[in-house]
Amino acid sequence: MPLLRKAALSLFVWIVVLLVSFPLIWMVITSVKPQTELFRIPPTWLPETVTFEHYWTLLSETPFLLYFRNSVILSTATTIFVVALATLGAYSLVRFRYRGRETLAMLVLFTYLLPSVVLIIPLYLMMVSLGLSNTLISLVLAYTTFALPYALWLMRSFMEGVPPDLEAAAMVDGASRMGAFRDIIFPQLLPGIISTALFTFILAWNEYLYALVLVNSDSSRPLTTGVMSMLISAFNIEWSLLMAASVMMSVPLIIIFAFLQSYLTSGFGGGAVKG
Amino acid sequence: MADIELRNVRKAFINFVALEDLNLRIEDGEFVALLGPSGCGKSTTLRMLAGLEFPTDGEIRIGGKVVNDVAPGKRDIAMVFQSYALYPHMTVAQNIAYPLKKRGVDKAERDRKVERAAALLHLEPLLSRKPKQLSGGQQQRVALGRALVREPEVFLLDEPLSNLDAKLRSYMRIELIELHRQLGKTMVYVTHDQLEAMTMAHRIAVMNGGKLQQFDTPDAIYNRPANLFVADFIGTPSMNLMEGSLSGSNFTVGGQSVTIDRSRLKPETTDGAAVLGVRPEDIMLGDGTIDAVVELVENTGHEKIVALAVKGCDRILARAPSGSAITVGEAVKIGFDQTKTHLFEKDGEGRRLNLDQDHNSLP
């Protein structure tokens, strides 16, 4: 009975979807419930009164916006830094022949052989001696060290997909090397650049451990550690505020995904070069 | 004016030498083919002319000017790539206009020139399409259009027809000859296909192993190959090469001997081991002194290719008219057209020993 099978499959899929999305839904619901409704037994599924007071409290009475700003600066700076380095690095690895090229590419991956917990103390000491402790820059540098190797290899494989003839043709047509890169190579790499940027941005946005160790002043704390230290203490967890903060933390990622998803899946060009 | 000159050009990469002491002079307006098997250095030569590779040693001149250190875009050249290398994110019109844009030609002028190039190559209906929406032949024409739109003095073509099917290839061959006649510009054409080289080029530079073997007209390359490599490489089926020994005016192969016209050989030719070359069409079936047995007959329709077993040498191929009655297993006497045999050194570079090689051959 095909109809029955179809129904069973649908049911199964929906159960999985609900299981996965339940925490998210519960997070949103909790964030708009008044404090009094939070721990009621049995719990209310939909809030009896919807309130945005927790959001308001977060925005007006806590340094949430400061943390948010820090996170935005931090993630954006890391993304720009990593994407620029990875793109140029991949270009070099793929287009030029020089001694130690492969070794260099392999060495970059060395970071991943060690657990980050092992790297974090030396990194902290380095930042202190550089006079960068407690700054956003120290976090940008730290995130770059673990985002760059992956980004470089990702960009390298995208770069390998761009035929060298395209660039040669552009140079014969009168472009400089950088001109050829900008006019011809860059548009071919765009899907790769967008995936790399997304990967890096999400990594930097969600990072917790390095932020916890390297930064301990409110002025440069990102959202992850900021919200934690602000709302979770040994004796009390501010659930309503925590959920409201979590919702607001997720919004930028959702927006970015919504906009860039089409770029990620489509990927244009290709197929113009035969042979 | 755009003659091309390569003087003692050498190109070494990290682990191998691609070109060894290349000397080549291409006249203004000439159509020259660089022909050779893959890895012979022909593409490297073309890329050096384009400025995409730089010579390790030597000098490259275009139109009398040394261009060793001149960037590709600053040379008055255009190139058509084997892969066409069309810019995938641009339309056909934008592709063709790109070289003009890079040279600061204004929009109105650009549009006019793109239109003219499109008309010449019958591309008008395709101008707003993207490359991936085109067939191989259309992509090829766009690549040509992009090359000729800015009217360069020199065209460099890197196996431009090798990705097309046989029918389209022979059509484009004629188109290219016609195009060269119209434009009158210098063209350098890289190919591994001897048919393309023989039919299109004024002169052919045959290359092998990074060395120039012979640079001459198609006629001379075919009839007076400078060495064993050229003799073997040019012609389908290729020339029959028989190792044997020369003694006076006798050449002995596997115990049988043929008479050689000693006056056609260079005076310094010494007796001893040598290689006799005879083209399949210069073998006379049933008219000669050499014993052979017919092993195989291939009927191509307009002729028959006859494979013969002769004692002491590899299989020999001969051409026969399609009507000739030859049967497999038959024993025949064969002879060679005396005026068209070729004799080569057995050792060293396998140089041609016939006298006629001296006039207008290696530069």
Side-chain angles (χ1 to χ4, degrees):
Chain A
M1 199 68 177
L3 198 70
L4 200 68
R5 271 186 58 165
K6 215 171 166 183
L9 197 69
S10 292
L11 191 70
F12 174 72
V13 169
W14 275 108
I15 289 171
V16 172
V17 168
L18 278 177
L19 277 177
V20 171
S21 56
F22 179 74
L24 295 171
I25 297 169
W26 198 246
M27 171 181 86
V28 176
I29 292 173
T30 309
S31 74
V32 293
K33 275 181 186 170
Q35 199 90 47
T36 51
E37 237 182 275
L38 267 191
F39 300 106
R40 197 179 289 173
I41 294 172
T44 47
W45 282 103
L46 289 174
E48 282 163 0
T49 40
V50 172
T51 172
F52 291 99
E53 60 173 314
H54 312 307
Y55 289 89
W56 182 243
T57 313
L58 268 183
L59 295 178
S60 60
E61 289 168 27
T62 68
F64 181 85
L65 277 179
L66 176 67
Y67 299 152
F68 194 89
R69 191 205 63 156
N70 286 343
S71 265
V72 169
I73 295 176
L74 183 61
S75 305
T76 313
T78 307
T79 305
I80 293 173
F81 203 42
V82 167
V83 167
L85 281 178
T87 309
L88 294 176
Y91 181 72
S92 154
L93 284 176
V94 174
R95 279 294 179 272
F96 300 112
R97 297 276 166 270
Y98 46 87
R99 215 173 281 283
R101 189 170 50 98
E102 275 308 312
T103 322
L104 209 64
M106 293 305 288
L107 272 179
V108 169
L109 287 181
F110 200 70
T111 334
Y112 293 156
L113 291 181
L114 302 169
S116 42
V117 193
V118 176
L119 294 171
I120 200 161
I121 302 301
L123 207 58
Y124 175 70
L125 294 175
M126 268 170 66
M127 293 304 170
V128 171
S129 59
L130 285 171
L132 293 174
S133 60
N134 250 332
T135 58
L136 281 178
I137 300 173
S138 72
L139 284 182
V140 170
L141 290 177
Y143 293 175
T144 303
T145 62
F146 63 79
L148 187 61
Y150 181 75
L152 186 69
W153 279 72
L154 197 67
M155 284 312 296
R156 190 188 185 189
S157 66
F158 275 100
M159 190 70 213
E160 270 162 359
V162 180
D165 272 0
L166 281 185
E167 201 180 348
M171 280 161 68
V172 169
D173 282 346
S176 61
R177 193 171 270 282
M178 278 326 280
F181 184 82
R182 193 191 54 228
D183 294 352
I184 310 299
I185 308 297
F186 184 77
Q188 309 309 313
L189 284 182
L190 208 52
I193 287 175
I194 288 171
S195 343
T196 311
L198 264 181
F199 159 79
T200 313
F201 193 90
I202 292 168
L203 199 87
W205 188 263
N206 290 335
E207 208 286 330
Y208 183 76
L209 188 61
Y210 280 53
L212 190 68
V213 175
L214 295 183
V215 165
N216 51 28
S217 72
D218 267 354
S219 63
S220 43
R221 237 195 274 268
L223 274 175
T224 45
T225 55
V227 166
M228 281 299 207
S229 69
M230 173 171 80
L231 302 176
I232 301 174
S233 65
F235 307 105
N236 186 30
I237 298 176
E238 298 277 357
W239 283 109
S240 302
L241 292 179
L242 190 61
M243 289 305 114
S246 302
V247 170
M248 286 196 281
M249 278 171 76
S250 315
V251 167
L253 291 189
I254 292 171
I255 292 175
I256 289 173
F257 255 110
F259 274 100
L260 296 184
Q261 189 201 23
S262 59
Y263 278 95
L264 276 180
T265 46
S266 75
F268 47 89
V273 166
K274 282 192 108 189
Chain B
M1 273 298 285
D3 51 328
I4 297 172
E5 201 176 350
L6 291 107
R7 281 190 199 162
N8 308 103
V9 171
R10 183 170 173 277
K11 175 68 184 178
F13 290 103
I14 295 174
N15 354 315
F16 75 106
V17 177
L19 273 181
E20 201 87 74
D21 196 35
L22 179 65
N23 286 287
L24 207 61
R25 209 193 133 72
I26 297 167
E27 303 299 332
D28 181 40
E30 199 176 14
F31 193 140
V32 165
L34 303 181
L35 176 68
S38 49
C40 71
K42 57 190 193 298
S43 281
T44 306
T45 308
L46 198 75
R47 290 175 66 85
M48 284 198 295
L49 291 179
L52 297 169
E53 302 280 357
F54 297 99
T56 314
D57 268 317
E59 211 173 77
I60 299 176
R61 287 167 184 266
I62 297 177
K65 283 198 300 279
V66 178
V67 293
N68 279 28
D69 301 321
V70 179
K74 301 268 189 286
R75 303 177 180 198
D76 203 0
I77 52 140
M79 183 159 169
V80 176
F81 292 81
Q82 181 175 8
S83 61
Y84 313 142
L86 301 180
Y87 311 132
H89 57 296
M90 297 185 188
T91 62
V92 169
Q94 285 168 334
N95 261 284
I96 298 177
Y98 186 73
L100 298 174
K101 201 171 161 188
K102 282 283 125 181
R103 278 171 180 72
V105 177
D106 65 67
K107 180 88 172 69
E109 176 78 358
R110 262 186 350 236
D111 289 347
R112 209 174 50 76
K113 289 192 166 177
V114 168
E115 240 164 70
R116 214 169 55 196
L120 188 67
L121 295 161
H122 317 295
L123 286 169
E124 295 108 321
L126 308 174
L127 282 175
S128 57
R129 298 227 194 136
K130 290 277 177 69
K132 69 176 165 197
Q133 298 169 296
L134 305 179
S135 70
Q138 290 167 336
Q139 292 187 8
Q140 219 281 325
R141 294 212 302 275
V142 176
L144 270 175
R146 193 175 64 187
L148 56 86
V149 72
R150 59 167 221 261
E151 298 153 28
E153 284 298 326
V154 178
F155 285 90
L156 306 173
L157 303 111
D158 189 2
E159 311 229 12
L161 306 184
S162 62
N163 286 325
L164 303 178
D165 62 53
K167 203 172 160 190
L168 200 52
R169 198 153 48 206
S170 61
Y171 171 75
M172 283 308 295
R173 272 209 313 266
I174 297 165
E175 291 283 289
L176 276 176
I177 295 171
E178 181 59 22
L179 200 63
H180 176 255
R181 206 182 51 77
Q182 278 179 33
L183 301 171
K185 304 293 185 192
T186 314
M187 284 194 182
V188 184
Y189 187 104
V190 162
T191 181
H192 64 269
D193 182 342
Q194 48 168 305
L195 185 68
E196 281 176 17
M198 296 290 281
T199 52
M200 297 165 74
H202 297 155
R203 281 196 295 167
I204 302 174
V206 183
M207 299 176 73
N208 186 40
K211 288 186 186 131
L212 181 64
Q213 306 292 320
Q214 189 171 4
F215 184 35
D216 217 327
T217 60
D219 186 56
I221 296 256
Y222 190 81
N223 294 316
R224 297 188 293 277
N227 59 31
L228 274 175
F229 175 79
V230 179
D232 191 39
F233 191 72
I234 302 287
T236 342
S238 54
M239 187 186 280
N240 298 296
L241 296 168
M242 293 159 267
E243 282 184 23
S245 75
L246 179 70
S247 162
S249 33
N250 275 324
F251 185 82
T252 316
V253 184
Q256 310 190 66
S257 76
V258 285
T259 318
I260 297 280
D261 184 356
R262 189 84 197 195
S263 68
R264 281 185 63 232
L265 300 183
K266 287 179 188 165
E268 69 269 25
T269 307
T270 52
D271 285 356
V275 178
L276 181 70
V278 188
R279 292 227 176 260
E281 58 268 32
D282 300 329
I283 289 181
M284 302 175 295
L285 288 167
D287 175 14
T289 55
I290 300 176
D291 291 317
V293 177
V294 178
E295 271 193 330
L296 197 73
V297 179
E298 282 181 318
N299 191 352
T300 63
H302 68 286
E303 66 179 5
K304 282 180 176 168
I305 306 290
V306 184
L308 301 155
V310 174
K311 207 171 65 161
C313 61
D314 292 339
R315 176 180 292 166
I316 285 181
L317 296 177
R319 281 183 209 277
S322 62
S324 48
I326 306 162
T327 48
V328 176
E330 183 185 348
V332 286
K333 291 272 186 194
I334 60 167
F336 307 137
D337 184 340
Q338 267 307 311
T339 59
K340 287 177 179 168
T341 56
H342 312 261
L343 202 70
F344 302 96
E345 280 179 341
K346 182 174 178 289
D347 304 314
E349 290 160 22
R351 269 180 306 157
R352 182 178 179 82
L353 296 171
N354 297 76
L355 261 179
D356 51 19
Q357 193 238 317
D358 286 346
H359 69 94
N360 96 44
S361 177
L362 277 170

